[in-house]
Amino acid sequence: MRDNRLGDVLAAQRAEEFRKAARALLRRPLLRAGGPHSDEFRLVRQHAAELRTWFERNTGWALLVDSEVARLRRIPGLDSDPTHPARDQRTGLPFSRRRYVLVCLCLAVLERAEHQIALGRLAEQVVLAAADPALESTGIDFALSDREQRTDLVAVVRLLLEWGVLAKVAGDEDAFLKSAGDALYDVDRRVLAGLLVSRRGPSTVRADGFAERLAELNAEVLPDSDELRNRALRHTLTRRLLDDPVLYADGLSEAESAYLASQRGALTRRISELTGLVPEVRAEGIAMVDPDDDLTDLRMPEQGTDGHVALLLAEYLAGKGGSVPLSELHRQVAGWALEHAGFWRRSATVPGAETELTEQAVERLVALGLLERAATPDGTPAVRPRPALDRYRVGETILLEPGQSAPRKSSQKSAKSTKGKRTR
């Protein structure tokens, strides 16, 4: 009897470690043996065989693990999702087009660099690469001629530090910004080699146009049998359930809808067993909710002025039918800024600040699958509530007196609780 109990305890411990390893990979698809996530790396390496089998079968994602790096080659379920950009490590602002180009140029330079490189040397090589006529013809100009361009390069370097491509040895990026110093970095070639995730080499893509090139970069071979078609559908739907805050039924193809209708229980059960996510199934779609609230890069609600604006807009828009003009939201936010002036940051009451506050809140709600951008019949920019936004709908509080059989309504308003039901 004692041996049975011990076996059960060990099995439960192993299952919990396996779940932690899977969640670690979903949070950070690239883990290093050293650094702040070394404990998670050890868990992933310990359960590498099981994890590799699960991801290959259910998502088609390959898992590469060696003594230094674990890399989940996580191809997104949707190539066209623009709601999770790379962000400045200091300001949180999304990268501009030029910064994305600088990321690629920096990686190309580092591929040919020695095991160490100075920031000034990296800048020189990037400037030379940016002078290529083919790149200049696209409108990208980078000559390190002003502070704005230096700021762009430093933002890219800090992102590479966060990824682990670079490790600082000496110096400071701020000194480089002021043209008063330099910085020296080690180059981690194992991380650098594992960054690119695509089904084919970018140099082999021949399509014109960004969307077409991106689609060709990750294009899969068309399945020619029922078994392969079902496998492709399983991969696509599992990726989207893991990636997207909400999987809406109206965004699926006919084949995807039919497969989900027949395999919904199996799909959600496997994901729950792997990650601990809880399926919330509605007629409009499925959300895999995270009770631990750490498998997300955006949360709702969030603290601070921007988080409060997003929550107020969610409550205001919940239950509304049709499109709501952005101008209406600007007026609402301007009024809330005055109402909550004692709690919001001072700049929120400056005339015109409501436009930026509204845009940031809308961007968050769109990324969480709670809103979609739209337009009114006359072409005015607007937003349209999605079904999942109803969780923030304000309803009347029902008060019951002792012994009362019929509820008595009160005019007091209260928001529905979202505890444990936050959209991933």
Side-chain angles (χ1 to χ4, degrees):
M1 183 67 70
R2 183 179 301 173
D3 290 342
N4 290 340
R5 287 199 298 268
L6 178 60
D8 292 342
V9 170
L10 293 176
Q13 180 180 349
R14 182 173 179 80
E16 181 61 25
E17 289 179 350
F18 179 67
R19 177 174 294 180
K20 288 181 178 179
R23 290 174 67 92
L25 280 173
L26 292 173
R27 278 194 302 270
R28 300 182 65 88
L30 194 153
L31 291 167
R32 293 176 293 134
H37 305 286
S38 57
D39 290 341
E40 295 176 338
F41 171 82
R42 283 193 291 271
L43 273 180
V44 169
R45 193 176 183 196
Q46 180 181 346
H47 296 275
E50 297 169 80
L51 290 167
R52 186 178 296 113
T53 298
W54 195 96
F55 283 115
E56 176 62 31
R57 170 174 171 74
N58 294 286
T59 65
W61 296 337
L63 174 61
L64 308 178
V65 181
D66 58 30
S67 61
E68 297 181 25
V69 175
R71 177 56 158 149
L72 180 62
R73 297 177 61 82
R74 189 172 176 175
I75 296 173
L78 285 178
D79 292 332
S80 56
D81 182 7
T83 60
H84 301 278
R87 294 185 178 274
D88 190 299
Q89 298 296 298
R90 295 284 181 88
T91 66
L93 295 176
F95 268 28
S96 63
R97 180 168 176 254
R98 182 165 65 187
R99 288 188 180 185
Y100 281 116
V101 172
L102 288 178
V103 170
C104 297
L105 293 179
C106 283
L107 294 176
V109 170
L110 293 174
E111 181 66 28
R112 300 187 296 269
E114 301 295 333
H115 71 280
Q116 286 190 332
I117 191 169
L119 179 50
R121 175 63 175 171
L122 176 63
E124 292 173 0
Q125 294 299 310
V126 169
V127 169
L128 289 175
D132 187 294
L135 187 59
E136 288 183 333
S137 65
T138 66
I140 295 297
D141 172 43
F142 185 78
L144 213 64
S145 56
D146 53 38
R147 185 179 176 86
E148 180 182 355
Q149 294 192 0
R150 284 178 173 268
T151 300
D152 284 345
L153 181 61
V154 166
V156 169
V157 167
R158 285 172 175 157
L159 180 65
L160 297 180
L161 286 167
E162 168 66 18
W163 286 348
V165 177
L166 298 176
K168 188 182 297 185
V169 176
D172 183 66
E173 294 85 22
D174 290 330
F176 176 82
L177 274 178
K178 301 172 184 176
S179 300
D182 208 340
L184 180 66
Y185 307 101
D186 286 334
V187 181
D188 192 325
R189 296 200 172 279
R190 302 298 289 273
V191 176
L192 177 61
L195 274 186
L196 181 62
V197 176
S198 63
R199 297 193 178 279
R200 57 187 301 177
S203 62
T204 67
V205 174
R206 295 290 179 262
D208 295 324
F210 175 75
E212 293 78 12
R213 291 179 64 83
L214 186 60
E216 187 174 327
L217 188 68
N218 285 324
E220 300 185 62
V221 177
L222 293 177
D224 57 1
S225 69
D226 289 342
E227 181 181 354
L228 292 178
R229 280 190 287 271
N230 286 335
R231 185 179 68 176
L233 290 169
R234 181 174 69 247
H235 289 175
T236 298
L237 291 170
T238 305
R239 290 176 198 164
R240 296 198 52 188
L241 286 168
L242 288 170
D243 282 346
D244 299 348
V246 185
L247 178 64
Y248 285 110
D250 61 8
L252 301 178
S253 67
E254 184 177 346
E256 290 169 342
S257 296
Y259 187 86
L260 183 62
S262 63
Q263 299 295 322
R264 182 181 63 194
L267 289 173
T268 56
R269 183 180 65 255
R270 283 194 290 264
I271 293 174
S272 295
E273 291 172 351
L274 177 77
T275 65
L277 298 176
V278 179
E280 183 176 308
V281 182
R282 296 288 183 267
E284 299 86 359
I286 304 173
M288 298 300 298
V289 181
D290 183 15
D292 296 331
D293 195 28
D294 65 357
L295 280 184
T296 182
D297 52 356
L298 287 175
R299 288 174 174 80
M300 184 69 182
E302 189 67 273
Q303 295 181 348
T305 300
D306 295 331
H308 194 193
V309 174
L311 183 58
L312 288 173
L313 278 180
E315 293 178 352
Y316 176 75
L317 291 169
K320 287 186 177 292
S323 300
V324 180
L326 286 178
S327 56
E328 179 181 333
L329 302 186
H330 294 161
R331 291 192 295 270
Q332 287 293 328
V333 172
W336 291 329
L338 296 176
E339 180 181 350
H340 302 288
F343 304 97
W344 289 9
R345 57 175 177 263
R346 291 184 179 182
S347 61
T349 57
V350 174
E354 68 275 6
T355 302
E356 181 180 356
L357 287 171
T358 302
E359 178 57 31
Q360 291 177 352
V362 167
E363 180 182 348
R364 177 186 294 271
L365 296 174
V366 169
L368 289 170
L370 303 176
L371 292 180
E372 63 181 352
R373 297 187 183 271
T376 60
D378 62 358
T380 302
V383 295
R384 183 182 299 113
R386 299 289 276 154
L389 191 66
D390 274 354
R391 68 180 59 218
Y392 299 98
R393 191 171 184 176
V394 175
E396 292 183 330
T397 302
I398 306 299
L399 301 180
L400 292 178
E401 299 293 347
Q404 183 180 0
S405 58
R408 177 171 59 85
K409 292 185 179 180
S410 168
S411 60
Q412 181 182 358
K413 300 284 186 175
S414 64
K416 287 185 178 179
S417 170
T418 61
K419 183 178 180 181
K421 292 188 176 182
R422 292 175 184 168
T423 305
R424 288 195 305 116

